[in-house]
Amino acid sequence: MPVGPPDRPAPRSADGATLAAVFVMVLMLAPARLVFRGLPFSLTPADAAGLFAALWWFCAHLTTTLAAAKGPNPVRTALFAYTAAMLATYGYATAAYLPPDELDMADHSIVLVVATVGVGLLACDGIRGRERLDFVLRCLVVAGAAVGVIAALQFVLAFDLTKYLTFPGFRFTSELPAIFERNTLRRVAGTTGHPIELGVVCAMIIPIALHYAFGARDRGEPSLRWWLCAALIGAGLMFSVSRSAVLGMAVVSAVLVTGWPARRRMWAAVGGVGFLAVMKVAVPGLLSVFLGLFTSLSSDSSIQYRTHDYAVAAAEIGNHPWIGRGLGTWYAPKHLIFDNQYILSLVETGVIGLVTFAGIFLTGIWAALRVRRLSSDPAVRDLGLTLAACLVVPLVGAATFDLRSFATVTGLSFLIIGAAGSLLRTTRREPARAPLPPEEVNPAAGGAAPPRSPLPDHAH
């Protein structure tokens, strides 16, 4: 009797997670300086993908066939509040006279708000179940490793691969280059818009790479691939030669060590020391430059530049304290640059805009930490801690640069905020479990909760 070919699982139809994965690849691999030709304002491929995500989400909530989650979700509520605040400041600014250049910037900014919020909503309502969320986050780790390779080529060989990552119908903007100089060393941007952005983006992705690397054995899969990805992302962070990157890794470490078991903390410390030793041998002088960034703060011209414009900011905030002067209307070179997103948000969107901006990050962190309390699955609990650590990076980093002016870190932030909402929804739908024993609630005590698989996608 002839033996037929082995049965193969039926192919999965595209869903919200598929769109989110496409967005991740476009966001991370398309150069941030690449924009569409022929448009009245700059629009990157990732911006276009975000606008499509917003359209998908809107259509999905008019039907029952596109598998978008419905029902209350705190992350979605926070995104709605943020959108309402941005529309309010846009309406306030455009209701009166605005110079044509500022009006154009306001129009551009509100389009970008729709795109970034669309990404958050797509992730929150379109990613259904742990399996699909893992798929998106793994794509993010692989894309981050690819960015690390591009950054390494820029740093070691002064070869900018991003110059060749263009397509018909696109053009490069005349913004900053991808390779800079700092203290006789190159500092690079990878595919992002600036080395600071590269460092912050890598600091946000490293926790996810470590989550899959440490959990590979429990899943019965090889871990080397994830350790390699983590190393490449870490190299990209180092090659950014950025204080914000170091600050990001510091807050990530502070969050992760509070929830990691003692054994994992030990291995992470050993791995971190080994990585720094390799970097010291491979790139002599790099660690000394990083050390100098923090030992010479009092004489650093960049620090002095960041603080000299506080008086100007205070005067502008006093003119429009609650709703701001208008989203996108304060821009360089017409106005001074505030290397602090919180100050810039106060100037442009007022107290209401600042509160909703910080609120979306705080809500995402709360949702991720809430997952740790609700779930008894060690993998789910660790993923919740991981997403919380990722979101602390932009929340703190926004005080060191104008975060919302950079497309890659902004898009990544909204994606992870939405991912936290998706994970919280999935965890809430899991069957109720008995309370965990104290040694399982506190992993540092050495306990480990029994493994438990999430519900299949169709149950969500």
Side-chain angles (χ1 to χ4, degrees), residues 405-421:
S405 301
F406 295 90
T408 306
V409 68
T410 302
L412 178 60
S413 299
F414 277 78
L415 176 77
I416 297 178
I417 289 169

Side-chain angles (χ1 to χ4, degrees), residues 50-64 66 68 70 80 114 117-118 121-122 125:
L51 291 173
F52 182 81
L55 178 62
W56 179 91
W57 180 88
F58 178 77
C59 294
H61 276 268
L62 298 179
T63 71
T64 58
L66 293 179
K70 297 176 173 62
F80 282 177
V114 174
V117 170
L121 293 173
L122 169 68
D125 293 342

Side-chain angles (χ1 to χ4, degrees), residues 364-451:
I365 293 171
W366 176 87
L369 294 179
R370 179 65 176 166
V371 167
R372 283 181 59 80
R373 185 173 182 84
L374 294 176
S375 179
S376 59
D377 186 335
V380 175
R381 290 167 53 81
D382 187 65
L383 182 56
L385 181 70
T386 297
L387 295 181
C390 294
L391 291 176
V392 171
V393 177
L395 184 66
V396 174
T400 65
F401 74 114
D402 46 335
L403 180 145
R404 204 166 55 190
S405 301
F406 295 90
T408 306
V409 68
T410 302
L412 178 60
S413 299
F414 277 78
L415 176 77
I416 297 178
I417 289 169
S422 172
L423 183 61
L424 178 61
R425 173 184 286 107
T426 298
T427 304
R428 282 176 167 173
R429 291 175 180 266
E430 292 177 349
R433 295 278 168 165
L436 293 174
E439 66 272 13
E440 294 180 0
V441 173
N442 181 13

